[in-house]
Amino acid sequence: MKAYIFPGQGAQFTGMGLDLYEKSDIAQGLFEDANDILGFHITDIMFEGTPEDLKQTKVTQPAIFLHSVILSKVLGDTFQPEMVAGHSLGELSALVANGALTFEDGLKLVSQRALAMQKACEAQQSTMAAVLGLDNEVVEKICSETPGIVVAANYNCPGQIVISGEIDAINTACETLKEAGARRALVLPVGGAFHSPLMEPAREELAAAIENTTFVNPNCPIYQNVTTTAIIDATEIKKNLISQLTAPVKWTQSIQQMITDGATSFTEVGPGKVLQGLLRKIDRSVAAQSATFGEE
């Protein structure tokens, strides 16, 4: 079975999407629609902006979403997913790609998500850290025993977990994790504690927007970050999407379940190759490639 996977924040790069804009009338039309929907020329920032410009939360998340979704649209009949998944933000890209959401509604939700998360970050200083070389259970136990708020936020691949929480709690946990044998416990240059209880204000804000958005049953199952299982019911998709901001991204478990359910090849749709790298660490036996358009 063909699985398609969609990247999250951090995959952006200057010039992203320009090749699609130049090669496809469909892509050009969708990018122009996006400028109108967002109320600013995101294409200018994507195509010509500096890395610093692209780092703005209100830009980063819509930019990655647009690159992924527009690429899936221009692939035409060759885009035939039998299952999809998206890493954090990528879950919204996946839901447009499999027909659960319209392009316009998906973009509006991504924009609202970005702004709500930014607001939550500004309300309380917080951060995230990458932990390499420890079992999940060890990381979870140390987080639970550390004073303050710190939780496992991203299960990216075996031996790579990202933790999220208050700055002091993250720093304390990192020291304890190194003492417990972590190869690295490195604070990341991010603006907040994504996928932790500190995102509760953003979750509440986004919940209202999601509830007021029309979702339909998709063309193929999505393996959502919260449940890691195949979901095709629109009501359940909405519920899981609301939970996602404060719950961990169970990426390793989702990929393993997709393979168990019959996935034999994975295609990453969007900027970068981060998810292919994680996939190789989860299971080297399955094929992985990037979606490409307009190549000879």
Side-chain angles (χ1 to χ4, degrees):
M1 292 176 76
K2 287 183 186 172
Y4 286 80
I5 49 179
F6 297 80
Q9 203 159 334
Q12 69 275 8
F13 63 90
T14 296
M16 60 190 289
L18 180 59
D19 58 333
L20 298 176
Y21 188 94
E22 290 176 340
K23 289 175 185 172
S24 164
D25 291 343
I26 294 170
Q28 198 170 114
L30 289 168
F31 275 121
E32 293 301 343
D33 289 347
N35 287 336
D36 293 339
I37 293 163
L38 293 170
F40 66 95
H41 272 69
I42 193 167
T43 47
D44 291 349
I45 307 172
M46 289 175 70
F47 303 163
E48 299 165 14
T50 65
E52 211 53 46
D53 295 332
L54 274 171
K55 260 193 211 165
Q56 302 172 71
T57 302
K58 74 167 191 174
V59 174
T60 312
Q61 295 194 25
I64 291 165
F65 167 88
L66 288 170
H67 192 286
S68 293
V69 170
I70 291 173
L71 177 55
S72 74
K73 299 274 190 198
V74 300
L75 292 173
D77 292 341
T78 63
F79 183 73
Q80 299 285 347
E82 293 170 273
M83 49 175 77
V84 296
H87 192 289
S88 189
L89 157 73
E91 193 157 282
L92 279 156
S93 309
L95 287 168
V96 174
N98 77 351
L101 265 178
T102 66
F103 173 78
E104 182 171 349
D105 284 344
L107 180 56
K108 284 178 179 173
L109 282 180
V110 167
S111 181
Q112 287 167 305
R113 180 185 192 269
L115 294 172
M117 288 170 78
Q118 183 63 37
K119 213 185 296 179
C121 293
E122 288 165 2
Q124 181 168 7
Q125 282 202 324
S126 53
T127 192
M128 303 175 84
V131 182
L132 305 182
L134 284 180
D135 290 341
N136 294 352
E137 296 73 22
V138 177
V139 177
E140 289 161 355
K141 184 170 187 291
I142 288 171
C143 285
S144 69
E145 292 170 353
T146 301
I149 296 171
V150 55
V151 296
N154 294 357
Y155 294 84
N156 283 334
C157 64
Q160 187 192 123
I161 294 183
V162 175
I163 61 174
S164 183
E166 295 166 335
I167 290 172
D168 287 348
I170 288 282
N171 288 333
T172 303
C174 282
E175 290 310 310
T176 312
L177 289 159
K178 285 182 213 166
E179 288 164 14
R183 241 185 16 256
R184 291 184 84 179
L186 182 72
V187 176
L188 298 171
V190 295
F194 307 133
H195 302 289
S196 83
L198 296 174
M199 283 292 119
E200 181 58 27
R203 189 198 67 79
E204 288 173 11
E205 199 173 315
L206 193 64
I210 289 171
E211 291 295 359
N212 291 323
T213 301
T214 301
F215 285 67
V216 298
N217 292 348
N219 304 322
C220 71
I222 180 165
Y223 287 69
Q224 289 185 277
N225 296 170
V226 172
T227 62
T228 78
T229 53
I231 311 289
I232 52 168
D233 177 71
T235 306
E236 200 176 341
I237 286 170
K238 284 173 95 160
K239 187 185 77 173
N240 293 335
L241 200 56
I242 290 167
S243 301
Q244 196 223 55
L245 278 190
T246 52
V249 174
K250 297 178 181 173
W251 189 250
T252 303
Q253 300 90 324
S254 297
I255 295 295
Q256 287 169 336
Q257 190 60 52
M258 292 168 91
I259 293 167
T260 298
D261 291 351
T264 50
S265 74
F266 286 81
T267 302
E268 184 168 2
V269 188
K273 297 184 177 182
V274 171
L275 298 183
Q276 291 167 70
L278 297 180
L279 186 67
R280 279 191 286 275
K281 290 172 183 168
I282 295 167
D283 189 332
R284 293 193 75 85
S285 69
V286 290
Q289 60 272 323
S290 298
T292 53
F293 171 74
E295 292 187 0
E296 293 303 316

